Amino acid sequence: KTRLVMQPEQIIRQLEEIYDGQPWYGDSIAQKINAISEMEAFRQPALGLHSIGEIVAHMVAWRKAVIEWLSGNADFRLDLNSPQDWQPYVTARELGWEKLKAQLAGTQREIIHLLQDKTDAFLSETYSPKKYTFRFLLEGIIRHDVYHLGQIGLAYKIVALEK
């Protein structure tokens, strides 16, 4: 069974396409979030569901974790379902929609900057005590972004109906 293995340039290309390019499946992250108002970003789509702002804050948290690990901080931790993973609504709301979007854009620039001089061999190196490779990490953040982009699209459809 042959497995397609991404090189750093391919990972950068995918990150760029998903963030502000023309992905085959629809809007990019930037296209989607830039069409959303502050009020829509923080409206809860349904009881018990995260707002778009909370989802973006969560994406920022994981991208910041990737930056830490790519920068050599193997001891950095982001615990699942912690306040650092999913900021409380009030924290995200106080930060504001424009700042959240700017943070997301900043993490995009930083991840790409950190990958630009990396080799294929770097992607096979491990970054954590669990021995995950950087390739696994970067393919994971791509999937994470696409997954949450779908959630943002669905949440937006719900909150837009409430106008």
Side-chain angles (χ1 to χ4, degrees):
K1 196 175 192 183
T2 305
R3 182 172 181 257
L4 175 65
V5 177
M6 287 195 280
Q7 299 170 324
E9 307 82 45
Q10 292 167 314
I11 291 171
I12 290 170
R13 218 173 11 257
Q14 280 203 10
L15 286 165
E16 290 172 338
E17 183 176 306
I18 292 163
Y19 185 77
D20 62 1
Q22 296 295 319
W24 63 268
Y25 49 79
D27 291 340
S28 67
I29 293 169
Q31 288 168 319
K32 187 70 73 182
I33 65 175
N34 287 330
I36 297 169
S37 72
E38 176 120 6
M39 188 171 58
E40 293 164 335
F42 291 105
R43 185 176 294 145
Q44 192 177 19
L47 188 61
L49 297 182
H50 293 290
S51 70
I52 294 166
E54 289 171 295
I55 294 168
V56 170
H58 168 77
M59 292 170 71
V60 167
W62 279 100
R63 284 165 151 260
K64 285 181 176 180
V66 167
I67 290 165
E68 289 290 329
W69 294 321
L70 287 173
S71 298
N73 185 357
D75 294 326
F76 182 82
R77 294 288 173 266
L78 180 58
D79 296 323
L80 293 176
N81 300 313
S82 68
Q84 292 75 31
D85 180 15
W86 286 100
Q87 285 185 20
Y89 173 86
V90 172
T91 306
R93 182 77 172 116
E94 286 174 356
L95 194 58
W97 185 228
E98 292 305 315
K99 183 137 187 183
L100 280 171
K101 291 190 300 182
Q103 285 183 352
L104 191 64
T107 62
Q108 175 74 4
R109 287 188 301 275
E110 185 67 17
I111 291 170
I112 289 172
H113 172 74
L114 288 168
L115 285 177
Q116 284 178 335
D117 297 327
K118 301 298 186 212
T119 64
D120 293 353
F122 169 79
L123 296 178
S124 297
E125 294 175 17
T126 58
Y127 71 91
S128 73
K130 293 183 179 181
K131 303 298 182 208
Y132 292 130
T133 65
F134 284 108
R135 177 176 283 108
F136 180 84
L137 170 69
L138 292 161
E139 289 174 351
I141 202 65
I142 289 167
R143 290 183 194 106
H144 188 255
D145 282 353
V146 173
Y147 173 79
H148 286 300
L149 178 58
Q151 284 186 322
I152 290 167
L154 181 59
Y156 179 71
K157 285 192 181 284
I158 294 169
V159 300
L161 290 173
E162 296 174 1
K163 286 184 184 177

